């Protein structure tokens, strides 16, 4: 009983020749390298930046211009609205209502405010051969103030600008007399400023500017006012967070499996396997020859008789070359294990015979 158990334990260890040991160990090392690569990639967690909107807002700025007319017998109206044609000879006052509004919502408490200003800008240009260069620029402030916070959490500003374009036409004339030459005029009414948004997360400033070109002289004729498109803008206060993705489970699982497999193969090739006995070495060599050349062999049930004058060849490959040259089959008889009986391979042609016999015992081939 004890001897049988000992024999069973011995049979658990696989029999590897040197070639198989090297192949198994090399395969294990490749698995270990692949496992290390997969585990390294699995632990390299990708990081992404997630942007969360805490407060979003919209801003709108517009102007509503009206022109006042002197008493006349042509127009029944005293005021002409935007989009009309204005006679310079009758227009004596430009009235513009500016408004700017910011509305917002979000999970963040935001304190809104800011500053605004209405002003007239005068500029002179020198134009020669199509090239326009600025000579001077002046800004005359009409009104400025603070933008007040609104009840809805936003902010609102409203102001009215009143001016007579003729006053600035006279100012251009004064500048030309002082400079001693005429130039191209540019006159515009500007409503500008900035909204401020203060919160725990961020401080933002949102500037705005709306311009209305004005007539630059008071000569008789007609003109219109280009109020420009209404300014619409938007923005947000956000919070940026860097997120790290979880380790890749498929790569992690694959790396662990390859690691276990690699360790098993290396230990099997170097430690757990045992060297074959001479008989086992012979069987290993015969199985190797059958795997390599089995498709070129003919297997018979009866034993082939080798005559005394048969020519012994050095290896099976030489015997197969002779078989091809003579156009005769290379023959062997399998034993109970499917291996060539007595390790014998033969070729017969007329009165000539050739054979190869794997000797017994056979040392483990390197």
């Amino acid at each position: 009983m004890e001897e049988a158990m000992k024999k069973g334990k011995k049979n658990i260890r696989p029999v590897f020749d040197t070639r198989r040991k090297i192949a198994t160990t090399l395969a294990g090392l490749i698995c270990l390298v692949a496992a290390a690569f997969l585990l390294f990639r699995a632990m390299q967690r990708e990081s992404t930046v997630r942007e969360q909107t805490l407060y979003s807002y919209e801003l709108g700025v517009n102007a509503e211009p009206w022109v006042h007319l002197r008493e006349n017998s042509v127009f029944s109206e005293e005021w002409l609205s935007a989009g009309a044609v204005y006679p310079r000879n009758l227009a004596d006052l430009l009235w513009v209502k500016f408004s700017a509004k910011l509305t917002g919502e979000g999970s963040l408490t935001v304190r809104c405010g800011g500053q605004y200003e209405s002003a007239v800008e005068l500029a002179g240009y020198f134009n020669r051969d199509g090239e326009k260069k600025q000579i001077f620029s002046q800004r005359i402030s009409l009104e400025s103030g603070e933008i007040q916070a609104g009840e809805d959490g936003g902010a609102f500003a409203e102001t009215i600008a009143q001016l007579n374009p003729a006053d600035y036409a006279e100012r251009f004339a004064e500048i030309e007399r002082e400079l001693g030459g005429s130039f191209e005029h540019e006159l515009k009414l500007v409503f500008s400023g900035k909204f401020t948004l203060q919160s725990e997360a961020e401080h933002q400033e949102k500037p705005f500017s709306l311009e209305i070109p004005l007539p630059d002289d008071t000569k008789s004729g007609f003109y219109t006012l280009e109020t420009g498109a209404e300014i619409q803008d938007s923005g947000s206060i956000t919070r940026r967070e860097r997120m790290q993705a979880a380790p890749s489970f498929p790569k992690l699982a694959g790396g662990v499996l390859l690691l276990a497999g690699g360790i098993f193969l290396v230990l099997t090739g170097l430690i757990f396997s045992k060297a074959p006995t001479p008989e086992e070495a012979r069987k290993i060599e015969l199985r190797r020859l059958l795997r390599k050349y089995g498709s070129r062999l003919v297997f018979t049930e009866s034993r082939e008789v080798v005559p005394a004058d048969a020519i012994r060849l050095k290896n099976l490959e030489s015997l197969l070359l002779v078989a091809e040259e003579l156009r005769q089959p290379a023959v062997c008889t399998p034993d109970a294990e499917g291996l060539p009986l007595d390790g014998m391979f033969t070729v017969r042609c007329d009165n000539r015979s050739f054979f190869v016999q794997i000797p017994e015992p056979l040392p483990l081939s390197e």
Side-chain angles (χ1 to χ4, degrees), residues 168-182:
Y168 301 99
E170 293 177 2
R171 176 55 184 157
F172 276 123
E174 291 175 2
I175 295 173
E176 286 183 339
R177 286 192 296 269
E178 186 174 352
L179 295 179
S182 60

Side-chain angles (χ1 to χ4, degrees), residues 23-35:
T24 304
T25 305
L26 183 60
L29 292 176
I30 293 174
C31 289
L32 291 177
V33 172

Side-chain angles (χ1 to χ4, degrees), residues 20 112 115 135 156 161 197 205 253 274 276 279 281 290 318 362:
R20 189 172 295 180
C112 299
Q115 302 84 35
I135 301 172
F156 180 78
L197 300 93
E205 293 184 350
K274 66 176 183 178
E279 177 60 27
L290 289 179
S318 300
L362 178 72

Side-chain angles (χ1 to χ4, degrees), residues 34-111:
F37 175 75
L38 281 180
L39 291 175
F40 175 75
R41 291 297 302 272
M43 299 309 296
Q44 276 190 321
R45 297 186 294 173
E46 296 182 358
S47 62
T48 57
V49 177
R50 185 182 69 176
E51 191 170 279
Q52 180 182 5
T53 300
L54 305 176
Y55 182 85
S56 58
Y57 59 86
E58 292 185 356
L59 179 150
V61 182
N62 55 57
E64 181 185 352
W66 291 81
V67 173
H68 183 264
L69 301 179
R70 298 185 182 92
E71 186 176 350
N72 64 90
S73 61
V74 179
F75 293 92
S76 59
E77 305 94 337
E78 183 179 358
W79 294 89
L80 296 180
S81 62
V85 178
Y86 314 112
R88 284 192 176 96
N89 196 39
L90 298 178
D92 65 347
L93 178 65
L94 175 61
W95 183 95
V96 182
K97 179 182 177 181
F98 290 111
S99 62
K101 187 176 183 181
L102 183 144
T103 57
E105 61 180 2
S107 60
L108 194 65
T109 301
V110 178
R111 297 183 298 277

Side-chain angles (χ1 to χ4, degrees), residues 109-124:
T109 301
V110 178
R111 297 183 298 277
C112 299
Q115 302 84 35
Y116 71 88
E117 180 188 24
S118 61
V120 176
E121 290 187 359
L122 300 85

Side-chain angles (χ1 to χ4, degrees), residues 233-277:
D233 202 353
S234 62
S236 62
I237 296 176
T238 60
R239 178 170 58 200
R240 297 168 66 87
E241 294 180 335
R242 184 169 292 277
M243 308 291 292
Q244 282 193 328
S248 173
F249 178 76
K251 292 180 181 178
L252 193 61
V256 172
L257 291 176
L258 284 174
L259 180 64
I263 293 174
F264 174 77
L265 290 175
V266 170
L267 292 179
T268 300
L270 297 179
I271 299 175
F272 296 144
S273 63
K274 66 176 183 178
T277 62

